[in-house]
């Protein structure tokens, strides 16, 4: 399996920050694009950001607030989230994908189990 594992979620006040981690297990991180997604009950899962060897992606709501990065040695992709808003509350998932982040041929290979992010108000 190439299932990633998320961690780093929690409770934070509006304006606060969290760093989520997506750890690779049993595969070479650089062979895959890694995407971050989020989902709230009753809504579709939406993509936040993605990083691969050759491209990257940020949703409009994430630009300027969220930063994705990759550490191949640690086999981990991070999502740094700053200036968090109440509407950022969701379960956050990471996923492996091929071949790249952007393009109609992008395919999700596997999903992590998710980590809860709650922004209080």
């Amino acid at each position: 399996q190439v299932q990633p594992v998320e961690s780093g979620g929690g409770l934070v006040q509006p304006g606060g920050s969290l760093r989520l981690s997506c750890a690779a297990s049993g595969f070479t991180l650089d062979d895959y694009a890694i995407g971050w997604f989020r989902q709230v009950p009753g809504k579709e899962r939406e993509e936040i950001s993605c990083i691969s060897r050759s491209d990257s992606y940020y949703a409009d709501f994430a630009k300027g607030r969220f930063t994705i990065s990759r550490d191949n040695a640690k086999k981990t992709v991070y999502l740094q989230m700053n200036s968090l808003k109440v509407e950022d509350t969701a379960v956050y998932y990471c996923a492996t994908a091929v071949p790249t982040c952007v393009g109609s041929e992008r395919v999700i290979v596997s999903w992590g189990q998710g980590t809860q992010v709650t922004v209080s108000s």
Side-chain angles (χ1 to χ4, degrees), residues 6-103:
E6 307 96 334
S7 63
L11 238 172
V12 64
Q13 293 184 335
S17 298
L18 285 173
R19 189 180 74 164
L20 305 183
S21 298
C22 177
S25 179
F27 63 95
T28 300
L29 183 61
D30 203 45
D31 288 344
Y32 294 87
I34 301 294
W36 281 100
F37 299 75
R38 67 186 188 184
Q39 188 170 28
V40 300
K43 295 185 178 180
E44 293 292 311
R45 192 169 296 186
E46 63 179 348
E47 188 163 9
I48 304 163
S49 186
C50 179
I51 188 168
S52 75
R53 289 187 300 173
S54 59
D55 68 350
S56 61
Y57 166 83
Y58 287 95
D60 286 343
F61 68 81
K63 293 177 180 176
R65 297 195 298 127
F66 296 180
T67 303
I68 194 167
S69 61
R70 179 179 62 196
D71 187 330
N72 287 338
K74 295 183 178 180
K75 299 176 68 70
T76 302
V77 170
Y78 303 98
L79 184 68
Q80 178 68 44
M81 305 189 295
N82 299 325
S83 302
L84 284 164
K85 306 173 181 179
V86 172
E87 53 262 45
D88 294 319
T89 296
V91 177
Y92 284 67
Y93 300 87
C94 64
T96 61
V98 294
T100 57
C101 291
V102 178

